[in-house]
Amino acid sequence: MNKTDILKQMALNFFMIHCGINAAIGLIGSLYAQDQCIPYSAMFSPMIYAFFCVLPTLITYSAKEMSIPRLLVRKLLEFLLIMGIVLVLTYSSGLWTSPLIVGAIMLSVAVVYGVVCGLDYLICNTKARAMNRSLKQAQVHYEAKG
């Protein structure tokens, strides 16, 4: 993977995380704070959260192919970093109002992270299958000529 591919992947993850955060805010807000209205300035918080949640991918990135256990360790480290970032941002913004809210936020982080990892896997799997089909066609074409 070159730097352009890494930036594309980070941008894709940013938008998926941003979408997941918006859905989580809407769900948590409708469950626990139905009587409150969100000011327009709060619309920037999903962008800020998504930006900081994408940064751990730079730390856990590896230019080499990794074994499954090593990949799982890096994904776990990435998840723990994201959870820590979200908890720090939540505490510093004053949203840490009750253990129930914190639990809902932690669950939301886990769900959004799982969905982003799942979608990322599906996208990479689709690209790999397309590449394998192209290679197979090129091989058949090359063997037919030779």
Side-chain angles (χ1 to χ4, degrees):
M1 251 183 158
N2 59 28
K3 290 181 182 182
T4 306
D5 291 336
I6 296 166
L7 290 176
K8 284 180 187 177
Q9 185 64 38
M10 288 180 68
L12 182 63
N13 285 347
F14 172 82
F15 288 114
M16 286 191 292
I17 291 169
H18 189 282
C19 181
I21 290 170
N22 281 332
I25 288 173
L27 184 64
I28 292 171
S30 65
L31 290 175
Y32 299 113
Q34 297 171 354
D35 57 338
Q36 294 181 355
C37 292
I38 298 176
Y40 289 115
S41 60
M43 295 297 143
F44 294 110
S45 68
M47 264 189 281
I48 294 167
Y49 275 78
F51 172 77
F52 284 111
C53 288
V54 168
L55 292 180
T57 59
L58 290 174
I59 296 169
T60 58
Y61 168 74
S62 174
K64 303 176 196 171
E65 278 199 37
M66 294 181 283
S67 65
I68 300 285
R70 190 173 186 134
L71 178 68
L72 291 175
V73 167
R74 286 194 184 224
K75 286 293 185 181
L76 178 65
L77 176 65
E78 183 179 69
F79 174 71
L80 293 174
L81 285 169
I82 289 171
M83 186 67 77
I85 288 169
V86 170
L87 290 176
V88 166
L89 289 173
T90 301
Y91 180 77
S92 64
S93 65
L95 297 173
W96 199 306
T97 55
S98 74
L100 189 62
I101 296 291
V102 174
I105 290 171
M106 290 173 66
L107 179 64
S108 297
V109 169
V111 169
V112 168
Y113 183 77
V115 168
V116 168
C117 285
L119 289 173
D120 187 38
Y121 170 78
L122 291 174
I123 291 167
C124 289
N125 192 23
T126 303
K127 286 180 183 177
R129 286 178 189 264
M131 190 181 301
N132 283 336
R133 274 194 305 273
S134 296
L135 287 172
K136 201 175 261 187
Q137 287 175 350
Q139 185 179 19
V140 167
H141 179 70
Y142 179 75
E143 288 174 356
K145 281 188 166 184

